[in-house]
Amino acid sequence: MGFGVQRSSILVAVSMIFSWMFLENSTVKYVHGKMGECDIYEGSWVVDESYPILYNSSSCPYIRKEFNCQKYGRPDQLYLKYRWQPKNCDLPRFDGEDFLRRFEGKKIMYIGDSVSLNHWQSMVCLLHAAVPDPSRILQETNGTISTFIFQDYDLSVILFHSQYLVDIENEQIGAVLKLDSLKNGETWKNIDVLIFNTWLWWYRRGPKQPWDYIQEGDSIVKDMDRMLAFRKGLMTWAKWVELEVDVRKTQVFFQGISPSHYKGQEWGEPEVTNCSMETQPISGSTYPAGLPPASYVLEEVLSSITKPINLLNITNLSQLRKDAHPGVHNGFGNMDCTHWCLPGLLDTWNQLFYTSLSLVRNKNKIKYINDYV
């Protein structure tokens, strides 16, 4: 059973123009007119001079210096002109006004590491550009939680900082990463829409590693295979979803693995060691090195969940965007080929998120073609 969704198609009418499909493996697909089935995550990047940039570093005051490539001297603009083009259809443009109306009175929470911060800031800027009166946006910070409240719509867009999703606790022996403990779920489970992410920190070592030991059950070890630890942590999260999340009230998304670009050999340029000189995406629809191993682990865990989980499957389309990172054009001046420029690629992530949410929110219009397996 794939991600707790049916194996046969569910046809959903969203508007006179678009209809949507939920198919096996929780990939959101839709039909555009009579062009046939279309997977919105399969496609390529095309230059579109007419495609609107909905905000910039001057118009959105919330962009952190890590992601503000324009402010910190990125000289080229072409990376802002690429539009994601699915193979057999067109992706609906992000409509901030519609988003604000559609999710009036709701809470949307991004949960994860600094890539989630990056992703969340994109959404905040997209919505900031759509509100009639930006002075009616309220910002709050409380420990690991940061919130933007769009007061005229009673919509909260929240960031919950969590590097591993599972817990790190300080004990007598030091900081312990607890692979089978997830206490923050009590906060998460009452939110209307959750979008999770974790991966960036699982291979961190040395001074940046925020734990001293790993614990599972009564077993405490100094270290272990990191991919195995990643899988165990995800399985704890998956069990929490199964036991604690009421999917009648809460929609659950998981962001796919966000790639970095430090190894030119992955795209056929073995002499390249970072993204600093990259100004164009990889052509075509497939990354030469293939998907990262972590993406297969993530899909395996998601496929074990019987409840409806939505995979925001951004890995391959982001692998193609070796040109979309800050490089040295950030407020620290360090080489960053892990995070993403704002505006930029992450606006497409949120465009895909918006598309997927439109499907789920229109569930009252679902026509069941076959029963659940």
Side-chain angles (χ1 to χ4, degrees), residues 24-41:
E24 183 178 14
N25 291 337
S26 192
T27 300
V28 176
K29 303 186 177 184
Y30 67 87
V31 177
H32 180 205
K34 294 184 179 179
M35 293 177 64
E37 183 183 308
C38 173
D39 185 339
I40 59 175
Y41 298 106

Side-chain angles (χ1 to χ4, degrees), residues 198-213:
T198 184
W199 169 241
L200 183 60
W201 285 80
W202 286 90
Y203 273 77
R204 290 286 175 92
R205 302 178 188 275
K208 291 187 177 181
Q209 177 182 295
W211 49 265
D212 303 301
Y213 295 89

Side-chain angles (χ1 to χ4, degrees), residues 243-257:
L243 293 173
E244 299 292 339
V245 177
D246 183 351
V247 294
R248 296 169 298 179
K249 300 177 181 178
T250 300
Q251 298 160 26
V252 182
F253 287 76
F254 207 107
Q255 173 215 296
I257 303 300

Side-chain angles (χ1 to χ4, degrees), residues 4-61:
V5 300
Q6 65 202 77
R7 293 185 183 278
S8 50
S9 302
I10 300 175
L11 188 61
V12 184
V14 174
S15 68
M16 295 296 292
I17 300 175
F18 295 101
S19 58
W20 309 88
M21 277 189 172
F22 233 157
L23 295 185
E24 183 178 14
N25 291 337
S26 192
T27 300
V28 176
K29 303 186 177 184
Y30 67 87
V31 177
H32 180 205
K34 294 184 179 179
M35 293 177 64
E37 183 183 308
C38 173
D39 185 339
I40 59 175
Y41 298 106
E42 290 183 3
S44 58
W45 292 96
V46 298
V47 174
D48 186 347
E49 293 288 346
S50 69
Y51 206 66
I53 301 171
L54 298 179
Y55 65 92
N56 57 43
S57 60
S58 299
S59 65
C60 184

